Amino acid sequence: MALNEDLGGSLALHTAAENNYSADNDITAQLIPAENMAEARVISRERAVFCGQPFVEEVFAQLTANLAEQVEIKWLVKDGECVEANQPLFMLRGSARLLLTGERAALNFVQMLSATATAVRAYIDKLQGLEKPLALLDTRKTIPGLRAAQKYAIACGGGHNHRAGLHDAYLIKENHIAACGGIAQAVDKAKQLNPEKPIEIEVETMDELNQSIDAGADIIMLDNFDLTTMRKAVKLTAGRCLLEASGNVNLDTVRSIAETGVDRISVGAITKHVRAIDLSMRFL
């Protein structure tokens, strides 16, 4: 889809075999003689956690899928590795036209995924040395169409993936509860429909927490609980189910939230508030 955007193909097509774009559609690259070969280096302009290797490889694999020529990639860092400003990340060698045609799609993936991995690593660093280790989770607040990619970056940064989508686990929220007639009714229905799926309930009060425990929830999300109430929730729950903290989580608050004794913390900001990492590609 990224290559289709640049090269004028149909956005309904998703694989190299189905693509209807052509590298010849890069009219600026056509200024360069077809026989010209080139070598390029990609560097980071700032400190970051690198992520995106399989996406770069796929860009050039798809770009050359119907061609005799290939683009050679030499990796100088690995996904999940910390890099410094002006550090070389990878080298490219091949047709000058193809390197330039694939440049933006490849770098867009690396910039966004490295930003996601960098964001989560900042939170992980804040959680070092806790008496009770916990999982830092992502959410469904991802860039549309790129959830799997961002969840890959979360793992590279040291975080954990929450639900992949609406299909693999229950997350029963206020509106679900209201529409079902109550917490117990919602949980009972969930167990009837998909007994093998984990059931998580979002609660806003201690009374809702008690109802959720009694209903047999596997996980309870404490939505915007203050620290005092969160500690009370941990004591009340006493390990009968997992507790997840959510809401008002940032780099300034995540440590104190973790120290209440919750089992998990979910953070939407690590996927929806990312700022692209500054990269540069230069011919040698």
Side-chain angles (χ1 to χ4, degrees), residues 142-194:
T142 52
I143 297 172
L146 291 173
R147 179 171 298 161
Q150 282 198 289
K151 284 183 174 288
Y152 170 74
I154 291 293
C156 288
H160 294 78
N161 296 147
H162 205 291
R163 298 186 298 168
L166 298 172
H167 59 282
D168 55 345
Y170 285 102
L171 180 48
I172 301 171
K173 298 189 176 187
E174 178 184 12
N175 289 332
H176 301 101
I177 292 168
C180 288
I183 290 174
Q185 293 91 326
V187 173
D188 284 345
K189 187 68 172 179
K191 289 181 177 180
Q192 291 174 28
L193 292 174
N194 294 287

Side-chain angles (χ1 to χ4, degrees), residues 181-236:
I183 290 174
Q185 293 91 326
V187 173
D188 284 345
K189 187 68 172 179
K191 289 181 177 180
Q192 291 174 28
L193 292 174
N194 294 287
E196 77 286 358
K197 303 286 188 184
I199 299 173
E200 180 168 3
I201 303 176
E202 180 182 274
V203 303
E204 298 178 351
T205 67
M206 291 294 287
D207 180 56
E208 290 176 346
L209 173 64
N210 275 308
Q211 291 182 55
S212 299
I213 293 172
D214 291 343
D218 300 300
I219 310 160
I220 299 175
M221 179 187 291
L222 309 177
D223 182 36
N224 282 297
F225 276 39
D226 61 44
L227 295 177
T228 299
T229 310
M230 209 176 291
R231 283 189 284 269
K232 290 179 180 177
V234 170
K235 184 175 181 181
L236 173 69

Side-chain angles (χ1 to χ4, degrees), residues 237-258:
T237 304
R240 286 178 287 175
C241 63
L242 295 175
L243 289 181
E244 176 181 330
S246 183
N248 193 34
V249 182
N250 55 53
L251 287 172
D252 294 326
T253 63
V254 68
R255 178 82 188 195
S256 57
I257 291 172

Side-chain angles (χ1 to χ4, degrees), residues 108-182:
N108 279 349
F109 280 115
V110 174
Q111 288 178 300
M112 185 271 292
L113 296 178
S114 294
T116 304
T118 301
V120 72
R121 184 67 58 84
Y123 280 85
I124 295 297
D125 288 345
K126 291 283 187 179
L127 299 175
Q128 297 304 305
L130 286 171
E131 183 176 338
K132 176 187 175 181
L134 86 169
L136 185 80
L137 305 177
D138 55 22
T139 71
R140 287 171 47 243
K141 298 174 182 177
T142 52
I143 297 172
L146 291 173
R147 179 171 298 161
Q150 282 198 289
K151 284 183 174 288
Y152 170 74
I154 291 293
C156 288
H160 294 78
N161 296 147
H162 205 291
R163 298 186 298 168
L166 298 172
H167 59 282
D168 55 345
Y170 285 102
L171 180 48
I172 301 171
K173 298 189 176 187
E174 178 184 12
N175 289 332
H176 301 101
I177 292 168
C180 288

Side-chain angles (χ1 to χ4, degrees), residues 50 52-57 73-79 89-92 110:
F50 177 76
Q53 179 173 335
F55 296 87
V56 173
E57 292 174 346
I73 307 173
K74 179 181 179 182
W75 292 101
L76 305 176
V77 296
K78 297 178 181 179
D79 282 354
L89 306 175
F90 57 96
M91 309 286 289
L92 298 166
V110 174

